[in-house]
Amino acid sequence: MSNNSLRLVWVYPDLLSTYGDQGNALMVERRARQRGLDVSRVDVRSDQPVPTSGDIYLIGGGEDRPQRLAAERLRRDGGLSRAASNGAIIFSVCAGYQILGHEFVNDLGEREQGLGLLDVVSTRGEGERCVGDVLGDIDPHLGLPPLTGFENHQGVTHLGPTARPFARVRFGRGNGTGDGTEGAYNDTVFGTYMHGPVMARNPLIADLLLKLALDVNALPPTDDRWYEALRAERIAAATQPA
């Protein structure tokens, strides 16, 4: 951070912004401003360089071809990888999550190199597509309440030894591996299949990113009644029989 301003970067909204994922950027902004924090947001399109001076980077989901294009441009640009090396916080969803791993299967059916920021490898599932509401328990080390979100993906993501599961599902498919894991993270890089947008359903995830960026253990409290009502509604939907 510089001049007490938190720098938020929304990466490639022209390629990776499905199922309302841009709402995550809006949520981080709002949660910061509710605490009186000065936050500046930059939306970086795929024909622009990714700045390396951001504090929090957000990446959404996308269709198969835009995902391949995004991976190619992020590899060539190098800015996101350099930001990660500088300790920036990165939160990714669905296609963005796969891009942060070592590799995924692209729209041509070929293995596509990812950025290697998460120790995961994604393949294409052979069974039913993972679609529907999800309920899970976030890794206790992160100190967050249960996870609620919406998944819609064909990908199957396998975690390597240095990646921790972001959550373990009670309902839903998560990473699609059958082991109950959902998403992955290391110290400052997070990935999930959850849409929703996930931070509207789980505002304390946005708060976690803010605390990591600010290097603080707590933030001033806010009025979360609206979010809690939404969470209760979506958790109930996930637990009801189809």
Side-chain angles (χ1 to χ4, degrees):
M1 295 182 62
S2 64
N3 300 323
N4 297 317
S5 178
L6 191 70
R7 295 161 299 195
L8 174 64
V9 182
W10 175 235
V11 179
Y12 292 1
D14 54 328
L15 295 178
L16 301 174
S17 184
T18 59
Y19 304 115
D21 289 333
Q22 187 174 4
N24 292 332
L26 297 174
M27 280 298 301
V28 174
E29 280 187 286
R30 176 171 175 78
R31 301 293 284 186
R33 292 194 171 117
Q34 283 180 313
R35 278 56 180 254
L37 299 172
D38 181 18
V39 56
S40 61
R41 171 178 154 188
V42 176
D43 290 7
V44 179
R45 296 178 61 86
S46 58
D47 61 349
Q48 299 173 318
V50 177
T52 61
S53 59
D55 298 299
I56 299 174
Y57 293 75
L58 300 172
I59 313 173
E63 302 297 330
D64 290 347
R65 184 173 182 274
Q67 180 187 25
R68 171 169 57 85
L69 295 176
E72 291 172 352
R73 294 174 190 186
L74 286 170
R75 289 197 308 267
R76 184 168 60 246
D77 176 82
L80 187 61
S81 295
R82 289 193 295 274
S85 298
N86 293 337
I89 315 303
I90 302 174
F91 189 91
S92 58
V93 176
C94 204
Y97 168 34
Q98 293 185 0
I99 288 173
L100 295 194
H102 298 300
E103 66 177 42
F104 61 92
V105 177
N106 64 23
D107 59 309
L108 305 176
E110 301 169 343
R111 292 181 178 180
E112 182 81 26
Q113 181 184 352
L115 301 184
L117 301 181
L118 280 172
D119 186 15
V120 303
V121 172
S122 297
T123 59
R124 186 164 295 168
E126 300 296 330
E128 292 183 353
R129 189 174 181 86
C130 301
V131 180
D133 276 288
V134 174
L135 177 62
D137 297 302
I138 295 177
D139 187 328
H141 289 87
L142 298 176
L144 297 175
L147 173 71
T148 169
F150 183 85
E151 61 182 349
N152 186 350
H153 61 96
Q154 192 69 41
V156 174
T157 298
H158 301 268
L159 276 59
T162 67
R164 299 181 64 119
F166 182 59
R168 294 192 178 273
V169 296
R170 298 186 223 167
F171 300 94
R173 303 277 294 282
N175 285 325
T177 56
D179 63 359
T181 62
E182 199 297 302
Y185 78 101
N186 57 29
D187 290 339
T188 60
V189 181
F190 299 82
T192 180
Y193 275 113
M194 296 299 97
H195 300 283
V198 68
M199 291 188 197
R201 294 190 180 205
N202 306 271
L204 294 187
I205 293 177
D207 289 357
L208 172 66
L209 304 188
L210 291 172
K211 287 188 288 186
L212 289 172
L214 296 167
D215 194 21
V216 297
N217 293 322
L219 296 170
T222 62
D223 184 355
D224 284 342
R225 286 175 293 180
W226 185 90
Y227 302 109
E228 289 304 319
L230 173 63
R231 282 177 53 77
E233 173 190 304
R234 300 322 307 164
I235 289 173
T239 58
Q240 290 174 356

